[in-house]
Amino acid sequence: MQRSKLTKAILLLSLFGGNAVVAEGQPDFYGQFNLGLLDAKNAAGERLWQVENQASRLGVKGEQELDNALKLIYQYEVGVNPADNAKPILSQRNAFIGVKGAYGQIIMGNFDTPLKLAQAKVDLFNDTALDMTAFLAGEVRHNQSVQYSTPKLFEALTAHVDWMPKEKKAQKEGLSASLEYQSSLLTLALAVDNQVAGDGGVVTGKADPLNSVRAVLTVKPLSSLQLGLLAQNSQGIDQDKSEETNWLASAQWTIDKLALKAQFGQGLADKTKTGAKTDAGISQAVLGVDYILGKNTTTYVYSGITRYEDGAGGTVAGKSREESTTGFGLKYKF
């Protein structure tokens, strides 16, 4: 059944993309296949070599001219899993419809919050087993969102405001916003979440609403060198008394088709969901190399160590453990 659904989805997207030649607005059919071979522990705690899906996806997007100098914009993207029959083959990713014009754009649907998008490419191992979501809350794709984005102001500034209406009367309405400055030398971003249900974190699952603040800086002192820094604080609200502080630093040096990457990140929990003080923490250090094999095709290798302390990752107070992960991968974009 799942295979049948996947086949139908691909056919529909292919037809949509194929019709772009004659259809007004020229929809763009796109995708990414990204698989990795990992030496890591599985859910049962057994260390094995495993083939892992790394955010493979299919999608269609485009725009259509409207009256009054407006444009219809749309995107529908699904995650696909070519590596594991036991997992859902299709999953919801960013999907929206909206309009844009001289004064910005408004979209509604299911998509990443402005805080999640405020990354400025600091996380060099995004979509891999060592993605920063392992120790940082707030990486949310909300299923009920209405977002306004300004046009680029002064050729450098962009602002986003995302309103998330509540689905039940007992719930709270969420708000996420960001302001980004971008130039050839640096990218600066500041983002806030108010009453947005997060995911990830050090101690708790963060299923309850959080208030978060994130600051991001990326600098390119040389065309071949990129340095990045991200800092964040997240706090539970109402009955959730948790509080966590996170940071991530990274560096990438590009030599022709080769990219050498390094990053270190840490998440520290000050209080648990009950309000109890804790020293729980997760630290992560990763090294990696990317190599461009050809147009739209990249192969990569990375290796990292994750340390769990004082209650994080199943440890108990006063104890710690370390896990190593090594991965090889191949990514193709179209």
Side-chain angles (χ1 to χ4, degrees), residues 9 70 144-145 169 189:
L70 295 175
Q144 187 160 276
S145 296
K169 287 186 177 181

Side-chain angles (χ1 to χ4, degrees), residues 169-210:
K169 287 186 177 181
Q171 294 179 335
K172 296 180 179 293
E173 293 183 343
L175 188 69
S176 182
S178 68
L179 179 64
E180 182 179 83
Y181 171 85
Q182 188 170 24
S183 70
S184 58
L185 176 63
L186 61 86
T187 299
L188 286 166
L190 179 65
V192 295
D193 272 2
N194 181 55
Q195 300 183 160
V196 177
D199 67 346
V202 178
V203 178
T204 60
K206 300 296 185 185
D208 294 333
L210 297 173

Side-chain angles (χ1 to χ4, degrees), residues 22-324:
V22 294
E24 185 180 1
Q26 295 188 340
D28 178 25
F29 174 59
Y30 67 94
Q32 169 182 294
F33 290 121
N34 187 357
L35 292 178
L37 179 62
L38 306 183
D39 176 26
K41 287 186 178 180
N42 62 14
E46 303 166 325
R47 177 165 290 279
L48 299 168
W49 283 99
Q50 307 160 65
V51 177
E52 290 284 342
N53 180 40
Q54 317 251 52
S56 298
R57 67 199 68 169
L58 293 172
V60 62
K61 61 183 177 180
E63 58 185 40
Q64 172 76 47
E65 295 286 346
L66 301 174
D67 296 334
N68 303 313
L70 295 175
K71 289 184 179 180
L72 172 76
I73 54 176
Y74 59 87
Q75 178 179 356
Y76 193 89
E77 183 177 292
V78 294
V80 296
N81 191 344
D84 191 344
N85 290 336
K87 296 179 180 179
I89 295 177
L90 295 179
S91 59
Q92 181 68 60
R93 290 183 59 86
N94 292 327
F96 61 81
I97 190 169
V99 293
K100 73 174 182 178
Y103 299 101
Q105 70 177 37
I106 296 178
I107 59 174
M108 58 183 177
N110 176 90
F111 43 81
D112 296 337
T113 64
L115 183 132
K116 179 179 179 179
L117 291 175
Q119 297 190 19
K121 298 183 179 179
V122 173
D123 185 7
L124 300 179
F125 298 93
N126 184 46
D127 292 338
T128 72
L130 296 176
D131 189 298
M132 69 180 183
T133 55
F135 58 88
L136 182 141
E139 298 291 280
V140 178
R141 179 179 298 122
H142 204 275
N143 61 2
Q144 187 160 276
S145 296
V146 180
Q147 179 175 284
Y148 167 72
S149 300
T150 68
K152 186 167 285 190
L153 306 172
F154 311 109
E155 299 184 351
L157 284 172
T158 308
H160 307 275
V161 180
D162 187 3
W163 172 51
M164 288 154 271
K166 56 186 178 183
E167 299 181 53
K168 298 178 182 179
K169 287 186 177 181
Q171 294 179 335
K172 296 180 179 293
E173 293 183 343
L175 188 69
S176 182
S178 68
L179 179 64
E180 182 179 83
Y181 171 85
Q182 188 170 24
S183 70
S184 58
L185 176 63
L186 61 86
T187 299
L188 286 166
L190 179 65
V192 295
D193 272 2
N194 181 55
Q195 300 183 160
V196 177
D199 67 346
V202 178
V203 178
T204 60
K206 300 296 185 185
D208 294 333
L210 297 173
N211 291 338
S212 299
V213 179
R214 176 182 293 184
V216 187
L217 168 65
T218 298
V219 182
K220 297 194 72 173
L222 303 171
S223 60
S224 59
L225 179 63
Q226 174 184 297
L227 306 174
L229 180 64
L230 180 151
Q232 178 174 303
N233 178 266
S234 298
Q235 298 181 5
I237 58 177
D238 296 337
Q239 289 81 18
D240 185 350
K241 307 298 182 182
S242 63
E243 182 176 354
E244 297 185 1
T245 303
N246 319 87
W247 65 272
L248 178 70
S250 65
Q252 177 172 295
W253 184 26
T254 304
I255 311 169
D256 194 20
K257 296 182 178 182
L258 198 68
L260 308 178
K261 306 189 297 185
Q263 75 180 33
F264 183 81
Q266 187 176 53
L268 300 173
D270 300 312
K271 295 180 181 179
T272 67
K273 189 172 181 177
T274 64
K277 291 184 178 181
T278 178
D279 294 319
I282 300 176
S283 302
Q284 193 177 84
V286 196
L287 296 175
V289 179
D290 291 358
Y291 183 76
I292 299 174
L293 287 174
K295 184 178 180 181
N296 303 330
T297 303
T298 302
T299 186
Y300 54 89
V301 58
Y302 61 93
S303 184
I305 296 177
T306 305
R307 181 180 177 87
Y308 304 90
E309 299 178 273
D310 294 310
T315 61
V316 297
K319 299 293 183 180
S320 65
R321 67 181 174 86
E322 293 184 351
E323 286 187 5
S324 62

